[in-house]
Amino acid sequence: MGSNRVIRSSSSVGVAVIRVLVGLCGVWLLTDPAVAHAGSLRLSDDPVTVPQWLVVSTGGGVVGASFLITSFVTDHETIRSVTDQWVSMPAWLANRSVSSAAGLASVVVLVVVVASGLVGTQSELSNFAILFVWVGWWAGYTISVYLLGNTWPTLNPWRTLASVVANWVPTERSVPQWLGVWPGVGGLLGLVWLEVISPVATSPRLLASVILVYSLLTVAGGAVYGAEWFRRVDPVSRIFRAYGRVAPFQRVASRIGLTVPGSALTGGNVERGEPVFIVAVLWVTTYDGLVSTPVWRDAAQWIVATAPIPPVVVYAVVMCGGFVAFLLVYRTGARYARRTGRTYVDSQVIEQRFARSLLPIAASYHFAHYLGYFLGLLPALAVAVTQPFGGPVTPQRLLLPSWFGQLQLVFILCGHLLAVWVAHTTAFDLFTGRLQSIRSQYPFVLIMIAYTVTSMWIVMQPYTQPPFVS
Amino acid sequence: MSQKPIPNGSTETDRSTETRARDQRANDGANERVATVVPPDASPARCPYCGRPFPTEQLCTLHLGERHRSEWTEEERERYESAYDTETNELFIFHLKVIGALVVTFFSFTYTYVFVWS
Ligand SMILES: [Zn+2]
């Protein structure tokens, strides 16, 4: 086959070019201790500092350059071979009795968390409920979901409870189709808004009440609508499923396998509303960081001083407005991809296929945002586990080394580099020809550069308590 | 190493075998149907096998080589090879520009850092 020969020779030229460029890039990173210094701006008084605008634009530059470098990989076979790795894991990992034991254990943990929140010590730094939910679960467990695999459908205590309740009340309904992805999106925005405006992260009693309300809703929903509730409506299950796609361990039917991180983001069917939910995930992680910057504090104070709007409404309006803005930017990007790639593929299809490339970005941003928090409070969590209702031992806070802030910027960059590669693979799968596949990525790469700059800027801001809320 | 199933990010076991079979087919390039929207004033080139529209004849020919190798004719194969060569030449010019852009990015950042540090 003549064409195969053509493909092979061009790919070996491509590989040689990549080697040279990777070498160049290495030199760049080595000659670039500035990235390292910059993160420590607020952590140490290093005399050699670099202005923030230069650090964030270097981040954008690295993402742009990585797109240019991946444009040399144009052979379909090579691109596919990266994502086609699959090592099967031993079958007992997916064993039913192991998973039902895990499900029961997490129901016990849920009961202890609620009890500890209601009757345990009300001191924020030694209460088991607070530390377990925010440090152990929302920071630590979420990290395990995108770094290892999505274990939530097995561990989800509400799923176990709902299946028990469903045995008594045999109702089999399905969630109305016209609702689409919106209950999940609304739930996600609502939960994060609640976390920001209320002391749910510091008051054990409030946290336990929120968990009780969520439990009632979720068990009722899960009992009535079955698995569909957790697949389409429950925002917690949806966010873990989304993050789980980034992970190296994937489960298909009854098999668990090890694959290249991110390769589950490139193939398979994407349901209609999924891009909207993924954009919501990206936006809420950003929102969480944005409201604790000095710029937000000044802006919020100005808004509340000039207009008679209650602060919680300001927070809600910005939550919804920012989400709509993110969605519009992404939709516009998908429409422009049709133009730059010169293709007739429906922009809705482009929107669906490229949405998952945003997930490594959201995951890396979560990692940068929460890893320090998780490690710092891990000793306190360990103490609280031994005495869930409060006790004599006072917890310690782990002090992180000063270079930790620099590491955060590196995490964000890694997520964006993975995203660039996922978008590249997706484009070569969806579009025709090599040039069209490369050109179709222009709008998405521009969006990613803009987002790198924004998120690195947010991470470098000194932590500021969000105003008007506790 | 075994044949890779299509991961779906889910560990739910309640998906019907029908859904899974649909996923499998979606990954099978030749049968793939991608939704397209053609502007009303355009006259697209259409793939003789799956009817997918393309803005240029060259893209349509490249598509034949990517999706329909098992069913194409000898004439189409030859057309594909020449279209592929044409694209390789365009790609070469494109990659020259990319190298230029990389060099410009590299040096502009290097000079900015030198300027900021001094
Ligand atoms: Zn075709």
Side-chain angles (χ1 to χ4, degrees):
Chain A
M1 286 275 281
S3 49
N4 264 344
R5 186 182 45 75
V6 174
I7 291 171
R8 195 145 309 137
S9 66
S10 96
S11 107
S12 65
V13 172
V15 170
V17 174
I18 293 163
R19 286 210 183 109
V20 172
L21 287 168
V22 167
L24 265 177
C25 198
V27 172
W28 183 2
L29 289 176
L30 285 179
T31 54
D32 201 345
V35 177
H37 279 297
S40 63
L41 281 178
R42 60 193 155 107
L43 297 164
S44 75
D45 34 25
D46 196 317
V48 187
T49 50
V50 169
Q52 283 191 354
W53 62 265
L54 186 50
V55 179
V56 296
S57 49
T58 307
V62 171
V63 172
S66 68
F67 161 70
L68 294 176
I69 291 166
T70 52
S71 80
F72 284 91
V73 191
T74 56
D75 176 26
H76 282 90
E77 286 301 311
T78 312
I79 295 172
R80 220 171 288 144
S81 69
V82 175
T83 51
D84 269 3
Q85 317 289 329
W86 177 271
V87 184
S88 284
M89 289 290 118
W92 61 265
L93 277 172
N95 189 309
R96 270 194 184 276
S97 46
V98 172
S99 41
S100 28
L104 280 180
S106 58
V107 173
V108 175
V109 173
L110 174 66
V111 172
V112 176
V113 164
V114 171
S116 153
L118 291 176
V119 299
T121 168
Q122 294 296 304
S123 148
E124 160 196 354
L125 274 181
S126 44
N127 179 272
F128 174 72
I130 293 281
L131 289 167
F132 184 83
V133 169
W134 297 112
V135 181
W137 179 75
W138 183 236
Y141 177 73
T142 307
I143 289 174
S144 86
V145 169
Y146 52 71
L147 289 190
L148 294 170
N150 181 17
T151 46
W152 188 244
T154 307
L155 293 180
N156 188 350
W158 296 285
R159 208 186 163 99
T160 311
L161 290 173
S163 66
V164 172
V165 175
N167 285 336
W168 300 332
V169 217
T171 46
E172 196 52 58
R173 284 167 198 236
S174 54
V175 183
Q177 278 301 320
W178 57 268
L179 280 173
V181 74
W182 296 103
V185 170
L188 180 66
L189 299 187
L191 279 178
V192 175
W193 173 76
L194 187 71
E195 185 252 313
V196 169
I197 60 126
S198 75
V200 71
T202 48
S203 158
R205 221 159 264 151
L206 180 66
L207 176 64
S209 321
V210 170
I211 294 176
L212 281 176
V213 172
Y214 172 81
S215 303
L216 276 179
L217 263 173
T218 309
V219 171
V224 173
Y225 296 109
E228 205 192 354
W229 175 271
F230 295 100
R231 197 165 53 235
R232 284 188 43 207
V233 180
D234 180 33
V236 177
S237 298
R238 278 200 86 130
I239 199 170
F240 285 134
R241 192 166 80 239
Y243 275 146
R245 287 185 211 277
V246 183
F249 286 97
Q250 295 290 327
R251 177 165 175 170
V252 179
S254 56
R255 290 157 65 199
I256 295 181
L258 178 64
T259 173
V260 179
S263 60
L265 301 167
T266 54
N269 277 355
V270 181
E271 62 175 295
R272 262 187 76 113
E274 204 186 312
V276 181
F277 189 80
I278 291 174
V279 170
V281 171
L282 192 65
W283 163 243
V284 293
T285 38
T286 317
Y287 179 83
D288 214 16
L290 186 69
V291 294
S292 45
T293 60
V295 170
W296 167 255
R297 182 196 52 203
D298 298 345
Q301 278 167 351
W302 180 81
I303 294 170
V304 172
T306 40
I309 311 170
V312 288
V313 177
V314 175
Y315 278 87
V317 167
V318 171
M319 172 62 100
C320 297
F323 167 66
V324 171
F326 264 46
L327 197 60
L328 276 181
V329 168
Y330 180 66
R331 292 230 154 122
T332 313
R335 265 206 304 281
Y336 270 94
R338 239 171 86 89
R339 205 176 298 172
T340 60
R342 296 188 67 204
T343 174
Y344 289 148
V345 173
D346 190 358
S347 63
Q348 207 176 0
V349 174
I350 301 178
E351 219 173 84
Q352 288 179 341
R353 294 293 296 272
F354 279 90
R356 287 181 182 172
S357 68
L358 302 175
L359 284 171
I361 299 176
S364 70
Y365 190 76
H366 179 276
F367 195 62
H369 197 71
Y370 282 105
L371 184 67
Y373 172 77
F374 174 68
L375 294 177
L377 289 171
L378 202 54
L381 176 64
V383 169
V385 167
T386 60
Q387 42 187 39
F389 296 95
V393 188
T394 339
Q396 299 275 309
R397 200 183 176 120
L398 194 75
L399 276 180
L400 294 170
S402 60
W403 45 262
F404 197 81
Q406 308 147 13
L407 217 56
Q408 290 182 312
L409 300 178
V410 176
F411 296 147
I412 289 186
L413 265 185
C414 289
H416 281 86
L417 297 186
L418 184 56
V420 165
W421 178 255
V422 170
H424 189 70
T425 311
T426 306
F428 271 77
D429 194 42
L430 181 61
F431 297 113
T432 311
R434 294 159 290 171
L435 263 177
Q436 187 188 63
S437 302
I438 294 170
R439 288 191 175 134
S440 67
Q441 298 168 53
Y442 290 169
F444 296 111
V445 171
L446 281 182
I447 291 174
M448 284 178 196
I449 291 175
Y451 189 74
T452 317
V453 170
T454 317
S455 55
M456 284 176 88
W457 175 81
I458 290 177
V459 163
M460 285 167 66
Q461 297 302 300
Y463 176 81
T464 318
Q465 175 66 37
F468 308 114
V469 292
S470 38
Chain B
M1 203 76 67
S2 52
Q3 180 63 42
K4 187 198 182 189
I6 305 161
N8 56 24
S10 148
T11 62
E12 288 168 41
T13 46
D14 48 20
R15 308 176 75 236
S16 63
T17 38
E18 195 193 335
T19 331
R20 240 173 279 131
R22 205 179 56 216
D23 285 2
Q24 205 79 38
R25 277 199 302 276
N27 219 35
D28 184 5
N31 296 326
E32 189 183 41
R33 286 275 190 282
V34 178
T36 47
V37 176
V38 182
D41 54 335
S43 50
R46 279 190 190 270
C47 167
Y49 298 98
C50 65
R52 184 164 159 177
F54 294 93
T56 64
E57 204 59 58
Q58 192 209 9
L59 282 170
C60 187
T61 313
L62 288 172
H63 162 80
L64 291 176
E66 285 174 17
R67 307 278 184 200
H68 303 291
R69 284 194 184 204
S70 54
E71 44 200 337
W72 61 4
T73 63
E74 189 60 25
E75 186 266 327
E76 282 166 343
R77 195 179 72 90
E78 278 164 20
R79 244 183 332 123
Y80 170 71
E81 276 172 21
S82 92
Y84 188 90
D85 286 343
T86 313
E87 200 198 30
T88 305
N89 292 337
E90 288 170 27
L91 203 60
F92 181 73
I93 305 290
F94 176 80
H95 279 155
L96 285 183
K97 291 180 196 162
V98 168
I99 291 173
L102 277 169
V103 169
V104 168
T105 318
F106 178 81
F107 282 106
S108 51
F109 273 108
T110 309
Y111 282 122
T112 317
Y113 275 102
V114 169
F115 181 76
V116 166
W117 268 336
S118 57

